């Protein structure tokens, strides 16, 4: 150790990040276009292009509007989308979610359409019943209104399998029913499509207040009660870890944590529990709306806040991020 004051070499960190390029090297994972998955709402009116007030800039799309909307994004490097069906016709809903995999329904049709127009686009399908059930819950119910798990899992596996057979590259069950990952994986194997369909488990999906704008977008608010009996309690770190471990054992190819920003410790847990599979994080509607609202109120710059939020999610351990900011990042990452 030299006796010149201030010459302790271990104290000098600035030299390593004085330049924009060396600052980039300080990140374990850098954001790339391929790390972004864009959530898309597809409704049953083929001509629909409906603004979703609570989700700035996002719309519900009809089948006839989908390709023109995605074309420019695909040219900018859009790598993957996740499809959410939003049937608005009242006859599209019943207690069993029958219309979820209707061959003429919006999701099944969209898979075929997008595969044809964008052959390299990775197409994931959210799998759940709540958009299609008259009661708005994610499974099939007992008479007392609680979830009847076995028939729910059977139905969810059937829907997932039909999406895969239609050509989806990925199915992502968000229902949180016990045992659905094993049931879906088994169904995919039996249908001969397990080799060409990724199974992402929403393992750590929390009962958050941040889903509000999504329910607006998807028309999927439950008619009674809430989803707290099957989504995880926000403080339930142990439950999340158990769900991640269980879903890996049941055949999940990728683990999802949802929401992202308030659950960065869970993303890190997921990366540590499952270092050998990709970890995805869903920056949910409320997180997106909150950043927009704060930027509008002058709290911060929208782009910087969006970038920082994704940096945090990547730093926590995510390999890919589902975000409504995807179109913005396709532009920002092109600069
Ligand atoms: Zn659901």
């Amino acid at each position: 150790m030299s006796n010149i004051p201030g010459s302790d070499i271990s104290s000098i960190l600035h030299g390593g990040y004085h330049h924009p390029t060396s600052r980039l090297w300080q990140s374990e994972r850098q954001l790339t276009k391929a790390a972004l998955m864009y959530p898309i709402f597809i409704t049953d009116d083929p001509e629909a292009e409906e603004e979703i007030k609570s989700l700035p800039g996002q719309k519900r799309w009809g089948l006839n509007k989908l390709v023109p909307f995605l074309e420019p994004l695909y040219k900018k490097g859009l790598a993957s989308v996740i499809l959410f069906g939003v049937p608005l016709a009242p006859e599209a809903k019943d207690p069993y979610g029958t219309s979820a995999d209707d061959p003429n329904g919006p999701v099944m049709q969209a898979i075929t359409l997008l595969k044809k127009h964008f052959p390299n686009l990775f197409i994931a399908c959210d799998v759940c019943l709540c958009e299609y059930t008259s009661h708005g819950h994610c499974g099939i119910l007992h008479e007392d209104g609680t979830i009847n798990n076995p028939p729910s899992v059977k139905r969810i596996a059937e829907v997932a399998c039909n999406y895969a057979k239609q050509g989806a590259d990925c199915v992502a069950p968000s229902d949180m029913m016990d045992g659905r990952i094993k049931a879906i994986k088994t169904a995919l194997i039996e249908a001969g499509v397990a080799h060409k369909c990724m199974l992402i488990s929403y393992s750590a999906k929390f009962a958050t207040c941040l889903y509000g704008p999504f329910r607006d977008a998807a028309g999927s608010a439950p008619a009674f009660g809430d989803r707290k009996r099957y989504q995880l309690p926000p403080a339930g770190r142990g439950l999340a870890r158990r769900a991640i471990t269980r879903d890996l054992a049941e055949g999940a190819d990728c683990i999802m944590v949802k929401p992202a920003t308030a659950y960065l410790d869970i993303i890190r847990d997921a990366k540590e529990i499952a270092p050998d599979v990709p970890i995805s994080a869903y920056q949910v509607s409320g997180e997106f709306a909150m950043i927009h609202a704060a930027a509008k109120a002058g709290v911060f710059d929208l782009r910087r806040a969006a970038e920082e939020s994704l940096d945090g999610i990547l730093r926590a351990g995510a390999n890919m991020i589902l975000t409504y900011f995807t179109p913005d990042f396709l532009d920002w990452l092109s600069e």
Side-chain angles (χ1 to χ4, degrees), residues 128-131 136-138 174-175 205 227 230-231:
C128 201
L129 301 183
C130 55
E131 296 102 320
H137 279 279
C138 303
S174 58
D175 53 280
K205 180 182 179 183
R227 296 173 177 140
Y230 44 101
Q231 296 178 356

Side-chain angles (χ1 to χ4, degrees), residues 63 102-114 166:
L63 279 175
D102 176 356
N104 298 313
V107 170
M108 293 286 270
Q109 298 272 313
I111 296 168
T112 307
L113 184 73
L114 296 180
Q166 189 81 359

Side-chain angles (χ1 to χ4, degrees), residues 82-200:
I82 180 163
L83 308 181
F84 291 89
V86 187
L88 294 177
E91 65 272 18
K93 303 198 182 205
D94 67 20
Y96 311 101
T98 305
S99 65
D101 49 355
D102 176 356
N104 298 313
V107 170
M108 293 286 270
Q109 298 272 313
I111 296 168
T112 307
L113 184 73
L114 296 180
K115 272 282 153 212
K116 184 173 154 222
H117 283 271
F118 310 113
N120 296 322
L121 187 67
F122 183 91
I123 299 171
C125 290
D126 178 86
V127 179
C128 201
L129 301 183
C130 55
E131 296 102 320
Y132 307 97
T133 49
S134 40
H135 44 68
H137 279 279
C138 303
I140 292 167
L141 302 182
H142 284 297
E143 266 179 25
D144 67 358
T146 57
I147 291 282
N148 189 351
N149 203 77
S152 301
V153 164
K154 189 165 173 262
R155 176 71 188 123
I156 284 158
E158 191 176 80
V159 173
C161 202
N162 283 331
Y163 291 162
K165 287 198 275 189
Q166 189 81 359
D169 298 294
C170 170
V171 288
S174 58
D175 53 280
M176 297 298 284
M177 298 302 124
D178 282 331
R180 86 267 198 226
I181 299 303
K182 187 178 178 187
I184 293 172
K185 197 63 160 190
T186 307
L188 294 175
I189 292 168
E190 283 169 3
V193 289
H195 64 291
K196 52 180 182 178
C197 185
M198 186 180 209
L199 175 51
I200 299 184

